[in-house]
Amino acid sequence: MRAFVSDIHSNLEAFLAVLSAADEVGAKEIICLGDVVGYGPNPKECIDLAAKRCRLSIMGNHDEAILFATETEGFNLRARRAIIWTRAVLEDPQERRKNDARWGYLGKLSNRVEDHALLFVHGSARLPVKEYVFPEDIHKKGKMEKIFAAIKKVVFQGHTHLPGIFTESGKFYTPEAVGNTYQIGDEKVMVNVGAVGQPRDGDPRASFAVFDGKRVEFRRVAYDLEKTIEKIYAVRELENFLGDRLRLGR
Ligand SMILES: [Fe+2]
């Protein structure tokens, strides 16, 4: 059984809670679908933990923006300020050797990884780092057809921070709608595993998914979000809103 995590966004408390939950359910390996950093207060710790615990890590748009200073187009001001702050933290000369390893980790992230009929990306099968696939996109037939054409059978993705299943026949199911489990059938599907560190579906608990080869199970874990919020408040470059939204899961 594999656990899929995504959009950790430098939220150490949420990441630790998800890793223990994944261990508890007996996940043999953890796959990270990108955005380890950005928005949150613990970029170094989250990179170190992802490097240690994740069998495989995919490049997210925030990871890419931190790696290539030129890639901050398309981000709003608060995201951009968080990216600039994160880069400064990773350039701290006091921790040169550790930071070299962290840049090395970011530099080795893959945009997409195929594993037989499975595909792992951050955004979409078509544009792996940047494209969003939102629930309402089921009404955009052309977009969905083109993305499904790039999928063999199942793609695991993140990026929107909204967990759920998209089917080739044009449906979107929230985890709630399917009782948190979805059996892979004949249809191609996209599985969004939600966000560890900044959920946006109204549930503040950290989100992840496990997969046994046939069945996807969506899971939520409560964590000490007040601790994360306090840390965000303490960093001038991270807007308080980035903390406040964790309470709401928005
Ligand atoms: Fe993200």
Side-chain angles (χ1 to χ4, degrees), residues 7 9 35 39 61-62 122 159 161 200:
D7 297 278
H9 286 299
D35 278 1
Y39 297 131
N61 55 319
H62 286 253
H122 181 64
H159 196 31
H161 304 201
R200 291 181 191 159

PDB file of all heavy atoms in Angstrom, residues 7 9 35 39 61-62 122 159 161 200, ligand 1:
ATOM      1  N   ASP A   7       1.103  19.076  -1.609  1.00  0.00           N
ATOM      2  CA  ASP A   7       0.872  20.422  -1.091  1.00  0.00           C
ATOM      3  C   ASP A   7       1.080  20.527   0.425  1.00  0.00           C
ATOM      4  O   ASP A   7       0.178  20.911   1.172  1.00  0.00           O
ATOM      5  CB  ASP A   7      -0.523  20.899  -1.528  1.00  0.00           C
ATOM      6  CG  ASP A   7      -0.599  21.006  -3.041  1.00  0.00           C
ATOM      7  OD1 ASP A   7      -0.159  22.028  -3.575  1.00  0.00           O
ATOM      8  OD2 ASP A   7      -1.036  20.034  -3.691  1.00  0.00           O
ATOM      9  N   HIS A   9       3.393  22.490   1.721  1.00  0.00           N
ATOM     10  CA  HIS A   9       3.508  23.937   1.911  1.00  0.00           C
ATOM     11  C   HIS A   9       4.136  24.337   3.246  1.00  0.00           C
ATOM     12  O   HIS A   9       3.599  25.188   3.975  1.00  0.00           O
ATOM     13  CB  HIS A   9       2.152  24.621   1.697  1.00  0.00           C
ATOM     14  CG  HIS A   9       1.774  24.681   0.239  1.00  0.00           C
ATOM     15  ND1 HIS A   9       2.541  25.352  -0.690  1.00  0.00           N
ATOM     16  CD2 HIS A   9       0.746  24.131  -0.447  1.00  0.00           C
ATOM     17  CE1 HIS A   9       1.989  25.216  -1.884  1.00  0.00           C
ATOM     18  NE2 HIS A   9       0.917  24.476  -1.775  1.00  0.00           N
ATOM     19  N   ASP A  35       4.901  20.638  -4.207  1.00  0.00           N
ATOM     20  CA  ASP A  35       4.676  21.783  -3.321  1.00  0.00           C
ATOM     21  C   ASP A  35       4.981  21.429  -1.860  1.00  0.00           C
ATOM     22  O   ASP A  35       4.132  21.580  -0.971  1.00  0.00           O
ATOM     23  CB  ASP A  35       3.259  22.372  -3.476  1.00  0.00           C
ATOM     24  CG  ASP A  35       3.170  23.328  -4.662  1.00  0.00           C
ATOM     25  OD1 ASP A  35       4.198  23.508  -5.357  1.00  0.00           O
ATOM     26  OD2 ASP A  35       2.102  23.911  -4.881  1.00  0.00           O
ATOM     27  N   TYR A  39       4.232  29.237   1.216  1.00  0.00           N
ATOM     28  CA  TYR A  39       3.178  29.632   2.177  1.00  0.00           C
ATOM     29  C   TYR A  39       3.523  29.469   3.672  1.00  0.00           C
ATOM     30  O   TYR A  39       3.217  30.333   4.467  1.00  0.00           O
ATOM     31  CB  TYR A  39       1.862  28.878   1.947  1.00  0.00           C
ATOM     32  CG  TYR A  39       1.184  29.109   0.634  1.00  0.00           C
ATOM     33  CD1 TYR A  39       0.742  28.040  -0.154  1.00  0.00           C
ATOM     34  CD2 TYR A  39       0.931  30.406   0.177  1.00  0.00           C
ATOM     35  CE1 TYR A  39       0.087  28.252  -1.358  1.00  0.00           C
ATOM     36  CE2 TYR A  39       0.279  30.617  -1.037  1.00  0.00           C
ATOM     37  CZ  TYR A  39      -0.143  29.537  -1.791  1.00  0.00           C
ATOM     38  OH  TYR A  39      -0.792  29.732  -2.974  1.00  0.00           O
ATOM     39  N   ASN A  61       4.494  23.701  -8.466  1.00  0.00           N
ATOM     40  CA  ASN A  61       4.747  25.049  -8.988  1.00  0.00           C
ATOM     41  C   ASN A  61       5.475  25.934  -7.980  1.00  0.00           C
ATOM     42  O   ASN A  61       6.291  26.770  -8.354  1.00  0.00           O
ATOM     43  CB  ASN A  61       3.442  25.709  -9.460  1.00  0.00           C
ATOM     44  CG  ASN A  61       2.361  25.757  -8.424  1.00  0.00           C
ATOM     45  OD1 ASN A  61       2.154  24.806  -7.675  1.00  0.00           O
ATOM     46  ND2 ASN A  61       1.652  26.868  -8.348  1.00  0.00           N
ATOM     47  N   HIS A  62       5.224  25.733  -6.678  1.00  0.00           N
ATOM     48  CA  HIS A  62       5.955  26.514  -5.675  1.00  0.00           C
ATOM     49  C   HIS A  62       7.410  26.050  -5.572  1.00  0.00           C
ATOM     50  O   HIS A  62       8.310  26.870  -5.433  1.00  0.00           O
ATOM     51  CB  HIS A  62       5.269  26.431  -4.308  1.00  0.00           C
ATOM     52  CG  HIS A  62       4.012  27.236  -4.232  1.00  0.00           C
ATOM     53  ND1 HIS A  62       3.911  28.419  -3.526  1.00  0.00           N
ATOM     54  CD2 HIS A  62       2.805  27.037  -4.803  1.00  0.00           C
ATOM     55  CE1 HIS A  62       2.685  28.902  -3.663  1.00  0.00           C
ATOM     56  NE2 HIS A  62       1.995  28.079  -4.418  1.00  0.00           N
ATOM     57  N   HIS A 122       1.988  16.951 -10.325  1.00  0.00           N
ATOM     58  CA  HIS A 122       1.463  17.930  -9.378  1.00  0.00           C
ATOM     59  C   HIS A 122       0.135  18.501  -9.890  1.00  0.00           C
ATOM     60  O   HIS A 122      -0.868  18.486  -9.195  1.00  0.00           O
ATOM     61  CB  HIS A 122       2.474  19.057  -9.153  1.00  0.00           C
ATOM     62  CG  HIS A 122       2.004  20.075  -8.164  1.00  0.00           C
ATOM     63  ND1 HIS A 122       1.768  19.770  -6.840  1.00  0.00           N
ATOM     64  CD2 HIS A 122       1.677  21.392  -8.295  1.00  0.00           C
ATOM     65  CE1 HIS A 122       1.344  20.841  -6.201  1.00  0.00           C
ATOM     66  NE2 HIS A 122       1.269  21.837  -7.059  1.00  0.00           N
ATOM     67  N   HIS A 159      -2.272  20.102  -6.278  1.00  0.00           N
ATOM     68  CA  HIS A 159      -2.256  21.458  -6.837  1.00  0.00           C
ATOM     69  C   HIS A 159      -3.465  22.324  -6.499  1.00  0.00           C
ATOM     70  O   HIS A 159      -3.321  23.487  -6.165  1.00  0.00           O
ATOM     71  CB  HIS A 159      -2.064  21.369  -8.354  1.00  0.00           C
ATOM     72  CG  HIS A 159      -1.654  22.631  -9.047  1.00  0.00           C
ATOM     73  ND1 HIS A 159      -0.880  23.608  -8.463  1.00  0.00           N
ATOM     74  CD2 HIS A 159      -1.897  23.063 -10.328  1.00  0.00           C
ATOM     75  CE1 HIS A 159      -0.679  24.587  -9.355  1.00  0.00           C
ATOM     76  NE2 HIS A 159      -1.285  24.286 -10.470  1.00  0.00           N
ATOM     77  N   HIS A 161      -5.609  21.699  -4.032  1.00  0.00           N
ATOM     78  CA  HIS A 161      -5.880  21.521  -2.599  1.00  0.00           C
ATOM     79  C   HIS A 161      -7.318  21.052  -2.356  1.00  0.00           C
ATOM     80  O   HIS A 161      -7.874  21.246  -1.274  1.00  0.00           O
ATOM     81  CB  HIS A 161      -5.602  22.804  -1.798  1.00  0.00           C
ATOM     82  CG  HIS A 161      -4.208  23.346  -1.944  1.00  0.00           C
ATOM     83  ND1 HIS A 161      -3.641  24.196  -1.018  1.00  0.00           N
ATOM     84  CD2 HIS A 161      -3.250  23.153  -2.893  1.00  0.00           C
ATOM     85  CE1 HIS A 161      -2.414  24.519  -1.406  1.00  0.00           C
ATOM     86  NE2 HIS A 161      -2.151  23.900  -2.539  1.00  0.00           N
ATOM     87  N   ARG A 200      -8.276  23.315   1.210  1.00  0.00           N
ATOM     88  CA  ARG A 200      -9.165  24.414   0.803  1.00  0.00           C
ATOM     89  C   ARG A 200     -10.584  23.930   0.533  1.00  0.00           C
ATOM     90  O   ARG A 200     -11.335  24.565  -0.192  1.00  0.00           O
ATOM     91  CB  ARG A 200      -8.610  25.087  -0.457  1.00  0.00           C
ATOM     92  CG  ARG A 200      -7.331  25.846  -0.193  1.00  0.00           C
ATOM     93  CD  ARG A 200      -6.803  26.533  -1.436  1.00  0.00           C
ATOM     94  NE  ARG A 200      -5.445  27.030  -1.238  1.00  0.00           N
ATOM     95  CZ  ARG A 200      -4.585  27.300  -2.216  1.00  0.00           C
ATOM     96  NH1 ARG A 200      -4.957  27.131  -3.469  1.00  0.00           N
ATOM     97  NH2 ARG A 200      -3.377  27.733  -1.957  1.00  0.00           N
TER      98      ARG A 200
HETATM   99 FE    FE B   1      -0.077  23.985  -3.685  1.00  0.00          FE
END
